[in-house]
Structures are given as C-alpha cells and as structure tokens.
Amino acid sequence: MSARPPALTDALHDYLQAHGVRESTAMRRLREETARHEMAMMQISPEQAALMALLVELTGARRALEVGVFTGYSALAVAEAMGAGGRLTALDISADYTETARRFWAEAGLAARIDLRLGDARETLAALRADGLEGAYDFAFIDADKSGYDIYYEHCLALVRPGGLILLDNTFHMGQIAEPDRWGENAPVVDALNKKIKADERVTMVMLPVGDGLTLCRKRG
C-alpha cells in the first residue's frame, strides 16, 4: 500500500471522472457550460463537489453557508444533498457570474433552497452575526478572494455550530504553497492561514489533496 497517492495523470483523471463521481443532469450541464467560461479555473472539480455532498449527508446539515458562489456548481451540490428541508445562504459580489447560478438553480428546481446575497462578504457575514445567527449553521464552504480568507474563517467559525464543518478551498493555492519562490501576493496569506488552522485548538482539521487543496475543519464544542 502506497504512503502517498499516485500522480493524477490525465488517464487517471479521466478514470476518476468516469467511475468516481455522480452528478445530476443539472450539475453536469452547469459544469460543462462553466468550462467554457474565461474564468473556468474558479470552478471546483466534480470529485470535490461529490465529497462536499457526501459530507453534507453524513452530518445531516440543514443550514449551510457558502462564501464565494461563482456560477453556482458547489452551491447546487450542497443544496441537492441537504434535501427538501435544507437552506443555503450563498454570498458573492458578482451579479454577472451568479446570473448563471440562478438559471441552473431554477432549472434544478432548487432556487427556493438557496438564499443568494450579493455584496461584500465581510459585511454580509458580520450582519448574519449581528442578526443572532452565531451557531446557527451546520456547514460552511469558503471559496472566495484569498485576501479575505482569515476574516471569512473567523466569521464562519462563529456562525457554525459546535460539531459543524467548515471547508476551505484552494489551500494549495494553485500548487504554489510549497514553493515560496513562486509565491504571488496572496500565497503568504493562504500559508499563514494554513499554519493558523493547524495550530487552532478550536477545530479538528485535515488538509486533503482534493482539487487545489481542500481543508476540512470540525468545530469543537
């Protein structure tokens, strides 16, 4: 048994897509449309979406929070997995990107489960806390501007209940995180947060080689 996963070659990636994930028709169509978008690299992978959906099912999450929506693929995965009683509060700053999200959420019959709030996520998260929603969420996913990651993490840690999950995307930062000579302006921010989370006794955590690095944090009681 190997101590580390094999390199994800094109052939292995194709096999993973064919045999390792399930997608609804709406999710597949949204992914395929977004693949043609000029910012397609911002979309999470199908296996990451499938993992998120499984975690939602395992935790029985019924109230979820997403910071960074883009065209809505991850939100669709979470909303589907939560079931009819679920509610996702989705935050983004772009009316343009999220117009695609709205269209596919409606096509999937899930628009009523997703509360899209446009604006600065820092302000929206602070407003949720001011409205008395600390500890009200079961699940949170952070996939937005890296400069705000630490702030988003702290807000989500307050908004998620004890035992709830916080997921952070791009914690490999495009594969640069282990190569400081390749760092741009946001890599030090991601690196500092990675180190902070590892030492953070408020959570149980693991960083996984899924997509561009996915960190899972379970809030301790």
Side-chain angles (χ1 to χ4, degrees), residues 63-69 87-95 98 102 105 114-129 131 133 137 159:
R63 296 193 74 174
L65 183 62
E66 180 170 277
V67 185
V69 174
R87 183 74 168 173
L88 170 64
T89 302
L91 316 182
D92 204 281
I93 200 165
S94 172
T98 55
R102 289 182 189 272
W105 297 342
I114 305 173
D115 176 16
L116 177 63
R117 304 193 184 190
L118 295 178
D120 189 318
R122 297 165 182 80
E123 297 176 4
T124 307
L125 290 165
L128 291 173
R129 295 178 67 179
D131 287 343
L133 292 175
Y137 292 89
L159 288 161

Side-chain angles (χ1 to χ4, degrees), residues 3-26:
R4 59 187 295 178
L8 192 61
T9 62
D10 288 344
L12 187 54
H13 181 264
D14 290 344
Y15 186 90
L16 172 64
Q17 301 300 305
H19 303 286
V21 298
R22 296 174 180 170
E23 285 181 303
S24 66
T25 300

Side-chain angles (χ1 to χ4, degrees), residues 2-201:
S2 176
R4 59 187 295 178
L8 192 61
T9 62
D10 288 344
L12 187 54
H13 181 264
D14 290 344
Y15 186 90
L16 172 64
Q17 301 300 305
H19 303 286
V21 298
R22 296 174 180 170
E23 285 181 303
S24 66
T25 300
M27 286 189 64
R28 177 184 55 77
R29 292 188 63 254
L30 173 53
R31 177 174 55 82
E32 291 173 349
E33 179 170 320
T34 304
R36 299 189 292 272
H37 195 285
E38 63 180 355
M39 299 299 290
M41 77 291 293
M42 289 170 52
Q43 179 166 266
I44 67 169
S45 65
E47 61 270 23
Q48 183 171 329
L51 175 61
M52 289 170 59
L54 181 58
L55 290 170
V56 167
E57 291 187 8
L58 285 170
T59 59
R62 287 297 175 265
R63 296 193 74 174
L65 183 62
E66 180 170 277
V67 185
V69 174
F70 188 37
T71 59
Y73 184 73
S74 54
L76 189 53
V78 170
E80 284 183 357
M82 283 194 297
R87 183 74 168 173
L88 170 64
T89 302
L91 316 182
D92 204 281
I93 200 165
S94 172
D96 182 27
Y97 293 164
T98 55
E99 183 58 35
T100 300
R102 289 182 189 272
R103 176 161 50 86
F104 277 92
W105 297 342
E107 177 183 310
L110 297 174
R113 281 185 210 172
I114 305 173
D115 176 16
L116 177 63
R117 304 193 184 190
L118 295 178
D120 189 318
R122 297 165 182 80
E123 297 176 4
T124 307
L125 290 165
L128 291 173
R129 295 178 67 179
D131 287 343
L133 292 175
E134 291 193 355
Y137 292 89
D138 305 302
F139 182 94
F141 178 51
I142 301 172
D143 184 16
D145 61 294
K146 305 307 172 271
S147 62
Y149 256 40
D150 197 347
I151 296 171
Y152 302 148
Y153 172 69
E154 289 296 334
H155 278 308
C156 287
L157 199 55
L159 288 161
V160 166
R161 63 169 173 80
L165 283 177
I166 301 170
L167 277 59
L168 299 96
D169 195 26
N170 303 118
T171 49
F172 285 176
H173 195 58
M174 299 176 289
Q176 296 176 14
I177 206 67
E179 302 177 50
D181 58 329
R182 296 176 57 207
W183 283 9
E185 63 177 324
N186 286 325
V189 177
V190 177
D191 179 61
L193 182 57
N194 288 341
K195 291 172 179 174
K196 171 180 172 175
I197 290 173
K198 181 179 179 182
D200 193 346
E201 293 297 328

